[in-house]
Amino acid sequence: MHNNYYFLRQLAPALTQQLAGYKVVTCFSQEKDELVVGLTNGMANFWLRAQLSATFTALALPETFHRARTNSVDLLPDLLGQEMAAVSALPNDRVLQLRFQSGATLLLKLYGPRPNAIFRLSDAAPAELFHQRYTADANIQPWTSHAHSRPERETEPENEIPTNPLKRYPALSDLPARYLRAHGYDPAPLDKKEQLVREVLHRLENPTEFYLTVVDGRMRLSLLPIGDVERTLPPDPVAALRTFVPLTLGRRAHENELRQVRQGLERRAEESTTSASMARTRLHALEHTAGYRQTADLIMAHLSQIPAGAASVEVMDFYQDNQLRTIKLKPTETPQRTAQNLYRKAKNQQIETRQLAERIERRETEAMWCLERLEELDTLPADLKVLRAWRKQHQLEPETKAKAAQELPFKVFEDSGFTILVGRNAQNNDLLTQRYAHKDDLWLHAKDVSGSHVVIRHRAGQPTPEPVIERAAQLAAWYSRRQNDSLCPVTVTPKKFVRKPKGALPGQVLVEREKVVLVVPANPFERVA
């Protein structure tokens, strides 16, 4: 009810008394959907901070406020120097009006879906809107006690029998209606309903306490004890707002960060499980099909049976109980040459098999780690500081460098908090390697073919995990001429071992030290379901 009329009618006189003799000295915005007004009487300052966002609309009254040096914009220059006269709540509405001695007004429209601020130098002057897209708000007129307005208690036509007294009070909103229903309003006879409504109205107009309560999982400021009451406050609306708004914003920030951490861990667990499953499928296929070495052994064992220029040969497969097997050959090369190539592929296949086993272990370990962290997350207290400390402990804090990298002229990917940059062409590769890459960044490139330079940004004190190197190597393989190969060797080395020789063509570099990994080229825009 922090924006409800019955709370605003308590807040308005309190602000009128508090701000007597105060003048506006600053008016600005430094965040989206925020309007800050600073006032002073020469000895003390008072801050009004209107949160004019559709997701959370509120009037905050911070005791202190420090204006940022950047991203701060001055607003409503005609408001500066205006001396406060009175604050009032528009009848039966969610609008708070600040009237100044000169006749200027500032209306704070605290509607949840479409909040706004409307400033006029006089009642007849054109309106200046904070949210200019809500053009209809220019029709909201300043209010005076002598102006015609809706009565606070509307009456029904005399010829109609009232059946629901609540309909006569649209400004009551949801919490008073919930309170009435919790106290037997719906089944009560009409006279009892009238009595209950009058009692609630009396409490709303003359509250003895305010309540911080949780209703449907949301923190609410209420004039009635409803929901799970967490705190009871004295009937001071200014102090109530100073308690409620920071607490609510803190809880919303906690919920948002908690959701981000949980989604990130769930995504990593899913990706790791999927990667392990794919690697296990590939490993099973390698282990249960005839390998290159077996085929090469069969060719060498049956050389005398293979005529020159043959496109295929049928031999007895002693690896498969002497069953007949047809082996395809290249007519343009000798069987010995074909066998030599198969032995080379068999060596690579052996390396791939070892790497697949290692990948399965890494990915399954990572998936288990993520699931364990998710279990821990559910046991943490609902405290933003505790969550951030836990997030930092497990290196799950958001990576600000990744946001900056999104503006770089390269393809940008992220894996486990590490930023991966991929060059777009030869000139772009030079820019990435020579200008943007740090000496401690990891540099990758598909071996012996043209392709994109790939850089993994170094994070101080954190070694680059093997799964991140593997992902970057797959990107290097994909963005190269080996994109369609079943297996691609990729060079991995710290950037400090990469230099560009004098006179080299764009994109050409010399690598002084390297480690080679074999990976399957992976399209980064395809996900396995």
Side-chain angles (χ1 to χ4, degrees), residues 254 258 261-262 265-266 370-382 387 390:
H254 174 266
L258 184 65
V261 174
R262 179 174 284 111
L265 286 170
E266 289 173 349
C370 291
L371 294 175
E372 290 173 352
R373 299 294 80 73
L374 283 168
E375 290 181 0
E376 280 184 28
L377 200 59
D378 292 334
T379 64
L380 294 179
L387 174 62
W390 181 87

CSV table of all heavy atoms in Angstrom, one decimal, residues 254 258 261-262 265-266 370-382 387 390:
chain,number,residue,atom,x,y,z
A,254,HIS,N,18.3,-9.4,-4.3
A,254,HIS,CA,18.7,-10.8,-3.9
A,254,HIS,C,18.0,-11.8,-4.8
A,254,HIS,O,18.6,-12.8,-5.3
A,254,HIS,CB,18.3,-11.0,-2.5
A,254,HIS,CG,18.5,-12.4,-2.0
A,254,HIS,ND1,17.5,-13.3,-2.0
A,254,HIS,CD2,19.7,-13.0,-1.5
A,254,HIS,CE1,18.0,-14.5,-1.5
A,254,HIS,NE2,19.3,-14.3,-1.3
A,258,LEU,N,19.9,-14.3,-7.2
A,258,LEU,CA,19.7,-15.7,-6.9
A,258,LEU,C,19.2,-16.4,-8.2
A,258,LEU,O,19.7,-17.5,-8.5
A,258,LEU,CB,18.7,-15.9,-5.8
A,258,LEU,CG,18.4,-17.3,-5.3
A,258,LEU,CD1,19.7,-17.9,-4.6
A,258,LEU,CD2,17.3,-17.3,-4.3
A,261,VAL,N,22.2,-16.8,-10.7
A,261,VAL,CA,23.1,-17.8,-10.3
A,261,VAL,C,22.6,-19.2,-10.5
A,261,VAL,O,23.2,-20.0,-11.1
A,261,VAL,CB,23.5,-17.6,-8.8
A,261,VAL,CG1,24.4,-18.8,-8.3
A,261,VAL,CG2,24.3,-16.3,-8.5
A,262,ARG,N,21.3,-19.4,-10.1
A,262,ARG,CA,20.7,-20.7,-10.3
A,262,ARG,C,20.6,-21.0,-11.8
A,262,ARG,O,20.9,-22.1,-12.2
A,262,ARG,CB,19.3,-20.7,-9.7
A,262,ARG,CG,18.6,-22.0,-9.9
A,262,ARG,CD,17.2,-22.1,-9.1
A,262,ARG,NE,17.5,-22.3,-7.7
A,262,ARG,CZ,17.2,-21.4,-6.7
A,262,ARG,NH1,16.8,-20.2,-7.1
A,262,ARG,NH2,17.5,-21.6,-5.5
A,265,LEU,N,24.1,-21.9,-13.1
A,265,LEU,CA,24.5,-23.2,-12.7
A,265,LEU,C,23.7,-24.3,-13.4
A,265,LEU,O,24.3,-25.4,-13.8
A,265,LEU,CB,24.4,-23.4,-11.2
A,265,LEU,CG,25.4,-22.7,-10.3
A,265,LEU,CD1,25.0,-22.7,-8.9
A,265,LEU,CD2,26.8,-23.2,-10.5
A,266,GLU,N,22.4,-24.1,-13.6
A,266,GLU,CA,21.6,-25.1,-14.3
A,266,GLU,C,22.1,-25.3,-15.8
A,266,GLU,O,22.1,-26.4,-16.3
A,266,GLU,CB,20.1,-24.8,-14.2
A,266,GLU,CG,19.5,-24.9,-12.8
A,266,GLU,CD,18.1,-24.4,-12.7
A,266,GLU,OE1,17.7,-23.7,-13.7
A,266,GLU,OE2,17.5,-24.7,-11.7
A,370,CYS,N,28.3,-28.5,-10.3
A,370,CYS,CA,27.2,-27.5,-10.4
A,370,CYS,C,26.0,-28.0,-9.6
A,370,CYS,O,25.3,-27.2,-9.0
A,370,CYS,CB,26.8,-27.4,-11.9
A,370,CYS,SG,28.0,-26.5,-12.9
A,371,LEU,N,25.7,-29.3,-9.7
A,371,LEU,CA,24.6,-29.8,-8.9
A,371,LEU,C,24.8,-29.6,-7.4
A,371,LEU,O,23.8,-29.3,-6.6
A,371,LEU,CB,24.3,-31.3,-9.2
A,371,LEU,CG,23.9,-31.5,-10.7
A,371,LEU,CD1,23.8,-33.0,-10.9
A,371,LEU,CD2,22.5,-30.9,-11.0
A,372,GLU,N,26.0,-29.8,-6.9
A,372,GLU,CA,26.3,-29.6,-5.5
A,372,GLU,C,26.2,-28.1,-5.1
A,372,GLU,O,25.7,-27.8,-4.1
A,372,GLU,CB,27.8,-30.1,-5.2
A,372,GLU,CG,27.9,-31.6,-5.3
A,372,GLU,CD,29.4,-32.0,-5.2
A,372,GLU,OE1,30.3,-31.1,-5.2
A,372,GLU,OE2,29.7,-33.2,-5.1
A,373,ARG,N,26.6,-27.2,-6.0
A,373,ARG,CA,26.4,-25.8,-5.7
A,373,ARG,C,24.9,-25.4,-5.7
A,373,ARG,O,24.5,-24.6,-4.9
A,373,ARG,CB,27.1,-25.0,-6.8
A,373,ARG,CG,28.7,-25.2,-6.9
A,373,ARG,CD,29.4,-24.7,-5.7
A,373,ARG,NE,29.4,-25.6,-4.6
A,373,ARG,CZ,30.1,-26.8,-4.5
A,373,ARG,NH1,30.8,-27.2,-5.6
A,373,ARG,NH2,30.1,-27.6,-3.5
A,374,LEU,N,24.1,-26.0,-6.6
A,374,LEU,CA,22.7,-25.8,-6.5
A,374,LEU,C,22.1,-26.2,-5.2
A,374,LEU,O,21.2,-25.5,-4.7
A,374,LEU,CB,22.0,-26.5,-7.7
A,374,LEU,CG,22.2,-25.8,-9.1
A,374,LEU,CD1,21.7,-26.8,-10.2
A,374,LEU,CD2,21.4,-24.5,-9.2
A,375,GLU,N,22.5,-27.3,-4.7
A,375,GLU,CA,22.0,-27.8,-3.4
A,375,GLU,C,22.5,-26.8,-2.3
A,375,GLU,O,21.7,-26.5,-1.4
A,375,GLU,CB,22.6,-29.2,-3.1
A,375,GLU,CG,22.0,-30.3,-4.0
A,375,GLU,CD,22.5,-31.6,-3.6
A,375,GLU,OE1,23.3,-31.7,-2.7
A,375,GLU,OE2,22.1,-32.6,-4.2
A,376,GLU,N,23.7,-26.3,-2.4
A,376,GLU,CA,24.2,-25.3,-1.4
A,376,GLU,C,23.3,-24.0,-1.5
A,376,GLU,O,23.0,-23.4,-0.4
A,376,GLU,CB,25.6,-25.0,-1.6
A,376,GLU,CG,26.6,-26.0,-1.1
A,376,GLU,CD,28.1,-25.5,-1.3
A,376,GLU,OE1,28.3,-24.3,-1.4
A,376,GLU,OE2,29.0,-26.4,-1.5
A,377,LEU,N,23.0,-23.6,-2.7
A,377,LEU,CA,22.3,-22.4,-2.9
A,377,LEU,C,21.0,-22.4,-2.2
A,377,LEU,O,20.5,-21.4,-1.7
A,377,LEU,CB,22.1,-22.2,-4.4
A,377,LEU,CG,21.8,-20.8,-4.9
A,377,LEU,CD1,22.9,-19.8,-4.6
A,377,LEU,CD2,21.6,-20.8,-6.4
A,378,ASP,N,20.3,-23.6,-2.1
A,378,ASP,CA,19.0,-23.7,-1.5
A,378,ASP,C,19.1,-23.5,0.0
A,378,ASP,O,18.1,-23.3,0.7
A,378,ASP,CB,18.3,-25.0,-1.9
A,378,ASP,CG,18.0,-25.0,-3.3
A,378,ASP,OD1,17.7,-24.0,-3.9
A,378,ASP,OD2,17.9,-26.2,-3.9
A,379,THR,N,20.3,-23.7,0.6
A,379,THR,CA,20.5,-23.6,2.0
A,379,THR,C,20.9,-22.3,2.5
A,379,THR,O,21.0,-22.0,3.7
A,379,THR,CB,21.5,-24.7,2.5
A,379,THR,OG1,22.8,-24.4,2.0
A,379,THR,CG2,21.0,-26.1,2.1
A,380,LEU,N,21.3,-21.4,1.6
A,380,LEU,CA,21.8,-20.0,2.0
A,380,LEU,C,20.7,-19.2,2.6
A,380,LEU,O,19.5,-19.3,2.1
A,380,LEU,CB,22.4,-19.3,0.8
A,380,LEU,CG,23.7,-19.9,0.2
A,380,LEU,CD1,24.1,-19.1,-1.0
A,380,LEU,CD2,24.8,-20.0,1.2
A,381,PRO,N,21.0,-18.4,3.6
A,381,PRO,CA,19.9,-17.4,4.1
A,381,PRO,C,19.6,-16.4,3.0
A,381,PRO,O,20.4,-16.1,2.1
A,381,PRO,CB,20.6,-16.8,5.3
A,381,PRO,CG,22.1,-17.0,5.1
A,381,PRO,CD,22.2,-18.2,4.3
A,382,ALA,N,18.4,-15.8,3.1
A,382,ALA,CA,18.0,-14.8,2.2
A,382,ALA,C,18.6,-13.5,2.4
A,382,ALA,O,18.0,-12.5,2.9
A,382,ALA,CB,16.4,-14.7,2.2
A,387,LEU,N,24.9,-14.0,-0.2
A,387,LEU,CA,24.8,-14.6,-1.6
A,387,LEU,C,26.0,-14.1,-2.4
A,387,LEU,O,26.7,-14.9,-3.1
A,387,LEU,CB,23.5,-14.2,-2.3
A,387,LEU,CG,23.4,-14.6,-3.7
A,387,LEU,CD1,23.5,-16.1,-3.9
A,387,LEU,CD2,22.1,-14.0,-4.4
A,390,TRP,N,29.2,-15.8,-1.2
A,390,TRP,CA,29.2,-17.2,-1.6
A,390,TRP,C,29.5,-17.3,-3.1
A,390,TRP,O,30.3,-18.1,-3.6
A,390,TRP,CB,27.9,-17.8,-1.3
A,390,TRP,CG,27.7,-19.3,-1.7
A,390,TRP,CD1,28.0,-20.4,-1.0
A,390,TRP,CD2,27.2,-19.8,-3.0
A,390,TRP,NE1,27.7,-21.5,-1.7
A,390,TRP,CE2,27.2,-21.2,-2.9
A,390,TRP,CE3,26.7,-19.2,-4.1
A,390,TRP,CZ2,26.8,-22.0,-4.0
A,390,TRP,CZ3,26.3,-20.0,-5.2
A,390,TRP,CH2,26.4,-21.4,-5.1
